[in-house]
Amino acid sequence: MSGIYLLLGTNLGERASNLRRACELLVVERIAIRKESSIYETAAWGVEDQPSFLNQVIEIETNKTPERLLALVQAIEIEMGRKKKVKWGERLIDIDILYCSDTIVNHPDLVVPHPEIQNRRFTLVPLVEIASTFKHPVLKVTQQELLDNCPDQLAVTPFVLNY
């Protein structure tokens, strides 16, 4: 299945390296990365007293079900050293499933499309970069329209890698 979008986020350690490593581990698991947004830096959201985040959206292709994809991304988070302590707290890596094409999932452990997409600029800015015309299967509007109407005013700025 194509049209699967993941949000990668990190605010601890070598942040850009964390994003790269997450992508590498997805590829090792036979997840094809079709598109990658630029990397963006954003002040922490939710719990604000923590380091800034780097975020990136990737489009992937896989034949895994949404539930199996969730198990895989959670295993990658654990392998990379993520420890869930506080909701919206600091983390080495966070991988959220935003969309699985036009599939709608509503389970206790997984809701797709991600229920907060329309409220988060740090998700919408990179998503619009690679999929501006992709329509939200529930709200029936494009990602660009979601961004244009997003109530979140948090600055989302391009991050320049210094190699």
Side-chain angles (χ1 to χ4, degrees):
M1 180 180 355
S2 60
I4 302 169
Y5 296 93
L6 304 179
L7 173 68
L8 311 177
T10 176
N11 74 335
L12 294 176
E14 296 294 327
R15 298 175 304 160
S17 295
N18 294 344
L19 296 177
R20 262 193 321 278
R21 182 69 180 142
C23 288
E24 290 167 358
L25 291 171
L26 287 165
V27 170
V28 165
E29 294 295 333
R30 296 191 203 129
I31 302 294
I33 298 175
R34 297 295 180 218
K35 291 183 185 174
E36 297 180 46
S37 76
S38 301
I39 296 172
Y40 293 88
E41 188 165 28
T42 310
W45 188 93
V47 177
E48 298 172 7
D49 186 23
Q50 59 181 314
S52 295
F53 277 83
L54 292 186
N55 291 293
Q56 180 179 37
V57 169
I58 60 173
E59 180 184 9
I60 65 167
E61 188 172 330
T62 182
N63 60 2
K64 295 185 184 319
T65 65
E67 295 79 8
R68 292 199 57 211
L69 180 59
L70 176 64
L72 173 65
V73 299
Q74 288 176 335
I76 289 172
E77 289 174 340
I78 291 167
E79 181 176 339
M80 288 185 63
R82 176 162 181 195
K83 294 173 178 40
K84 292 189 179 189
K85 297 177 183 172
V86 177
K87 185 175 182 176
W88 300 321
E90 54 191 28
R91 59 203 67 187
L92 277 168
I93 193 68
D94 184 33
I95 305 172
D96 289 337
I97 301 171
L98 301 176
Y99 294 107
C100 287
S101 189
D102 60 355
T103 301
I104 298 169
V105 179
N106 197 356
H107 296 286
D109 295 331
L110 178 63
V111 177
V112 178
H114 192 288
E116 292 296 326
I117 291 171
Q118 67 276 6
N119 298 318
R120 297 179 175 172
R121 286 181 54 80
F122 66 85
T123 301
L124 286 167
V125 170
L127 190 53
V128 164
E129 180 186 332
I130 63 171
S132 63
T133 61
F134 180 81
K135 283 205 173 184
H136 191 293
V138 174
L139 301 176
K140 306 294 187 199
V141 295
T142 67
Q143 302 313 293
Q144 183 65 60
E145 290 170 307
L146 289 176
L147 179 58
D148 291 345
N149 294 299
C150 182
D152 180 14
Q153 295 302 308
L154 201 61
V156 178
T157 57
F159 180 76
V160 179
L161 295 171
N162 296 319
Y163 288 112

